[in-house]
Amino acid sequence: MITTGIQLAYLSSAALFVMALRSLGQPTTARRGMQMAAFGMLVAVCATLVDQRIVSYEWLIVGLVAGGIVGYPLGMWVPMTAMPQRIAFSHAFGALAATFVGVGEYLHGLHAETLSHGQTLALSFEIFLGSLTVTGSLMAFGKLQGILPGAPITFRGQNLFNLSLFAVGLASLVWLVATPYDVTFFMVILVIGTLVGILMVLPIGGADMPVIVSLLNSYAGLAAVATGFALDNNILIVVGALDGASGFILSMAMSKAMNRSFANVLFGAFGSESGGADEGASASGGEMVAIEADDAAIRLAYSQRVIIVPGYGLAVAQAQHQVRELADQLEKRGVDVSFAIHPVAGRMPGHMNVLLAEAGISYEKLLDMDDVNDRFSDADVVLVIGANDVVNPAARTNRSSPIYGMPILNVQDAKSVIVLKRGRGKGFSGVENELFVSPKASMLFGDAKQSIAQLGVEIKQV
């Protein structure tokens, strides 16, 4: 009866996870989806706690308390601007748990002499993918947090070295499956997985972090699947498969949004500094034209339609609440205000949507690229806040540009553009932006939060 009850609980959890995943596809149902997922996880944990394989609860209680102590601050105190690195950090914790389970199960089977070839295969994949995800996620966290350089770090023959290391790990995996009790190859797999995770993210530029975080999420899911097979646990297999598949699909969607392949993301070292042009000038020789806050406020106040394009700079400045106040002021004057959200704006999928929604901006005003691109030609002013590559016309006009072919927002079609930018330097990817030197564009330099607040003050006086 206990076994039947556990399996029924797992089935209920799996159903809740599937429904939660579907609900997360729409902003209006995302909160409910998270609640269903949390409840499904609670059911799965409770079912596992009554499993007959558990002989002692002391360490489980310690783990629950420790997890709560760590998890509550991560969930409640980390600002939305730091959510990408928090997600990467969480991936590392999940993968670490899977790796520890794999090591523990292998040592248990080794001591009891019960290792089979099938179980060893599952455990090998588990520790390889798990250790890879741990170090890869920590590297991604370091780059997003600014602890590590955001630009790619490369060396001669790097791709060949990485592939050779991966091949050695795969060969060790095959050998361990053939000889399950050879601890040496088990340790080789663990060490190589750890190194591959570091070397895989090292050459990735900050502009590609959304894809990498999604890909690491997929790896964590696959590690959970392997854990499920090793432990003969159905819910781990189902949840891991959902996680792995969704992470892979999301990675594909993000790559498509940047018009790049997985191979180019993983091996292209995109985001390196490009040289040859002076700071503040583009390859076409144009110059950025500055504008003062009072002039920009007049232009906004007497517009009929304004489209705001948020980017990572808005998140860094934590200016989402000032943006909402600015939009409210413009709407009180009868201005039609909407927001254009690019699929890869920010540092993770949905970053801008979550950030603006947290500030109280209605979901109906957050328009996806496909919905908003035809509206730019009717906009009197487009206010670009901290966005760069997603509004760069070079993606369509410059075949030599690394971002050529990337879908962009049609900001250049607007009647005028005001760009909020901290300085005259290049964006995160290191690619010059032709929009910034366009005759339509004016640059309002300074901290985005202060600039937007100043715009609000000036609009009140118009």
Side-chain angles (χ1 to χ4, degrees):
M1 288 295 294
I2 294 178
T3 302
T4 302
I6 291 174
Q7 296 306 317
L8 287 175
Y10 285 164
L11 182 61
S12 301
S13 297
L16 286 168
F17 290 139
V18 172
M19 291 189 293
L21 197 59
R22 178 178 177 82
S23 298
L24 290 173
Q26 296 293 331
T28 54
T29 58
R31 185 183 296 272
R32 186 177 65 204
M34 289 301 299
Q35 291 170 347
M36 285 192 292
F39 183 70
M41 182 58 70
L42 177 63
V43 172
V45 170
C46 290
T48 304
L49 289 176
V50 299
D51 194 304
Q52 64 271 19
R53 293 183 62 184
I54 296 177
V55 296
S56 175
Y57 286 89
E58 287 82 1
W59 284 108
L60 289 176
I61 295 173
V62 171
L64 287 171
V65 173
I69 292 174
V70 173
Y72 185 84
L74 284 176
M76 298 298 294
W77 298 345
V78 173
M80 293 305 301
T81 51
M83 197 52 58
Q85 46 266 52
R86 193 208 75 94
I87 296 297
F89 203 49
S90 297
H91 286 170
F93 275 119
L96 185 63
T99 304
F100 280 158
V101 169
V103 172
E105 282 295 308
Y106 179 80
L107 294 177
H108 174 75
L110 187 69
H111 179 74
E113 297 185 351
T114 58
L115 289 172
S116 64
H117 296 292
Q119 185 185 29
T120 304
L121 177 63
L123 291 174
S124 299
F125 273 111
E126 179 184 349
I127 62 166
F128 183 74
L129 292 172
S131 58
L132 182 157
T133 307
V134 170
T135 52
S137 297
L138 290 176
M139 290 290 294
F141 166 79
K143 290 203 170 195
L144 289 167
Q145 186 65 22
I147 299 173
L148 298 174
I153 301 174
T154 60
F155 54 86
R156 186 181 299 274
Q158 186 174 44
N159 291 337
L160 180 60
F161 179 79
N162 290 351
L163 289 174
S164 300
L165 194 65
F166 187 86
V168 172
L170 187 61
S172 300
L173 188 150
V174 173
W175 190 269
L176 182 63
V177 172
T179 57
Y181 295 95
D182 195 332
V183 182
T184 301
F185 286 97
F186 180 85
M187 296 302 299
V188 169
I189 294 171
L190 183 61
V191 171
I192 288 181
T194 302
L195 291 175
V196 168
I198 296 173
L199 295 173
M200 181 184 74
V201 181
L202 202 63
I204 307 300
D208 283 329
M209 277 302 119
V211 180
I212 293 303
V213 171
S214 299
L215 191 60
L216 289 169
N217 181 62
S218 179
Y219 289 158
L222 294 175
V225 171
T227 305
F229 279 111
L231 299 179
D232 194 22
N233 188 297
N234 292 330
I235 191 62
L236 275 175
I237 296 173
V238 172
V239 174
L242 289 173
D243 192 19
S246 61
F248 181 76
I249 293 171
L250 186 57
S251 298
M252 292 288 290
M254 300 295 284
S255 295
K256 183 179 179 182
M258 295 190 297
N259 195 40
R260 303 180 62 215
S261 65
F262 265 140
N264 188 246
V265 170
L266 295 176
F267 305 118
F270 184 73
S272 58
E273 292 295 324
S274 58
D278 294 332
E279 195 173 85
S282 74
S284 61
E287 293 288 338
M288 298 180 186
V289 177
I291 189 174
E292 297 299 325
D294 53 350
D295 293 332
I298 292 173
R299 194 183 300 182
L300 289 167
Y302 289 103
S303 298
Q304 290 183 330
R305 294 181 180 85
V306 171
I307 298 177
I308 300 175
V309 179
Y312 188 61
L314 180 144
V316 172
Q318 301 186 36
Q320 63 269 26
H321 295 282
Q322 285 70 28
V323 169
R324 179 187 58 78
E325 293 172 2
L326 178 64
D328 290 344
Q329 286 185 27
L330 292 173
E331 289 178 336
K332 288 179 181 178
R333 299 180 62 94
V335 181
D336 179 18
V337 180
S338 57
F339 294 79
I341 311 297
H342 191 278
V344 295
R347 291 295 177 265
M348 72 175 186
H351 192 186
M352 294 297 103
N353 302 70
V354 174
L355 198 66
L356 295 174
E358 182 216 11
I361 297 172
S362 172
Y363 286 122
E364 285 72 21
K365 296 179 183 178
L366 308 181
L367 304 178
D368 292 334
M369 180 176 62
D370 294 337
D371 297 326
V372 76
N373 260 350
D374 292 337
R375 305 189 187 189
F376 280 106
S377 58
D378 296 327
D380 297 301
V381 180
V382 173
L383 187 64
V384 179
I385 308 174
N388 197 315
D389 296 318
V390 299
V391 298
N392 192 344
R396 292 185 180 149
T397 60
N398 186 357
R399 291 183 177 273
S400 63
S401 174
I403 64 171
Y404 180 75
M406 171 182 170
I408 61 169
L409 296 167
N410 295 337
V411 173
Q412 74 279 357
D413 293 342
K415 297 172 186 176
S416 68
V417 180
I418 299 174
V419 181
L420 272 63
K421 203 170 185 295
R422 184 176 293 274
R424 296 178 179 270
K426 304 169 188 175
F428 210 70
S429 69
V431 178
E432 300 283 1
N433 195 325
E434 297 178 2
L435 176 69
F436 296 167
V437 296
S438 166
K440 293 183 178 182
S442 303
M443 310 297 295
L444 182 56
F445 293 112
D447 178 77
K449 188 174 184 178
Q450 296 176 3
S451 296
I452 296 170
Q454 183 64 30
L455 284 174
V457 171
E458 297 291 343
I459 287 174
K460 289 180 181 178
Q461 299 175 3
V462 173

